[in-house]
Amino acid sequence: MRDYKWLHEFCLNRFGSAKALEAMLPQPRSDAELRALSDDRYLSLISLRIFRAGLKHSLVDAKWPAFEQVFFGFDPEKVVLMGAERLENLMQDARLIRHLGKLKSVPRNAQFILDVRREKGGFGTLIADWPVTDIVGLWKYLAKHGSQLGGLSAPRFLRMVGKDTFIPTDDMVAALKAQGVIDKAPTSLKDLAAVQAAFNQWQAESGRPLCQLSVMLAHTVNH
């Protein structure tokens, strides 16, 4: 596995200057910002990620004001009370994306958020306090306790809220294979641990957040 110096020099050459490189890199939110984000916004973003899966994002985003309306602004205390009959009725609402499994995930994730609130004081506390040196552990926690947050949904949700994370996109997986970190898409605990260890090393060498290293690494793949 090559060190961060190689990755930085490669990206400088690809983008032409340090200014151009920095301009395209994401910035994570601070822990304070993550704690300050309200539980209803976390539920809205979890739900948005789930409904975006497999669909054109602009299509889902255009319908999101209607989702905000029918789900009471994603207030988890109100959403959790929505029963099966209410969700079935939403299947007749043409303003929405009428996918019953995804609709059912909203009150289930409302319950998840309320459970975390009782334990931590707020969902943002869980997100902010989880160490990025074990970000794959947070993916697994969200997938286990949440609804429809498996696969890439957990890391993509975390990127949406601003929690520092890498995302194993096809380009990033190809780059990790080229670096000898893994030989296939990381789904096993062993492979995920190997990817986490590689990112922890690059972060220690560079001082950069995981999200920036992730984007830089994806750009080392030839298109």
Side-chain angles (χ1 to χ4, degrees), residues 1-114:
M1 184 180 78
R2 294 174 176 173
D3 60 14
Y4 170 74
K5 182 179 179 181
W6 170 85
L7 177 61
H8 185 243
E9 290 178 352
F10 184 100
C11 290
L12 280 179
N13 289 333
R14 175 150 192 176
F15 291 96
S17 70
K19 183 178 180 180
L21 171 60
E22 297 300 329
M24 53 79 64
L25 294 176
Q27 290 287 346
R29 279 179 165 157
S30 68
D31 289 347
E33 289 172 321
L34 291 168
R35 288 191 188 93
L37 195 64
S38 60
D39 285 348
D40 61 278
R41 292 305 87 201
Y42 276 110
L43 181 57
S44 178
L45 288 166
I46 287 174
S47 304
L48 178 59
R49 171 56 219 156
I50 289 169
F51 277 92
R52 277 180 174 180
L55 295 174
K56 191 175 181 180
H57 291 186
S58 60
L59 170 68
V60 181
D61 295 354
K63 290 178 175 286
W64 210 245
F67 277 87
E68 289 279 354
Q69 180 181 346
V70 301
F71 283 108
F72 309 103
F74 288 98
D75 181 338
E77 292 183 342
K78 294 179 180 177
V79 172
V80 77
L81 299 175
M82 298 176 71
E85 184 177 353
R86 178 66 181 269
L87 296 173
E88 290 280 359
N89 289 339
L90 292 183
M91 289 291 289
Q92 311 305 317
D93 192 333
R95 299 174 301 160
L96 306 178
I97 294 164
R98 290 171 285 183
H99 185 296
L100 187 57
K102 292 183 177 184
L103 289 169
K104 287 181 176 179
S105 76
V106 183
R108 289 170 182 165
N109 283 321
Q111 184 63 62
F112 171 38
I113 284 175
L114 291 173

Side-chain angles (χ1 to χ4, degrees), residues 161-179:
V161 301
K163 176 68 174 179
D164 191 20
T165 187
F166 52 85
I167 301 177
T169 61
D170 290 344
D171 281 351
M172 202 194 85
V173 169
L176 290 169
K177 288 179 181 178
Q179 294 297 314

Side-chain angles (χ1 to χ4, degrees), residues 11 24-26 159 210-220:
C11 290
M24 53 79 64
L25 294 176
R159 179 67 60 82
L210 302 179
C211 58
Q212 294 187 0
L213 294 167
S214 179
V215 171
M216 290 171 71
L217 192 65
H219 279 93
T220 65

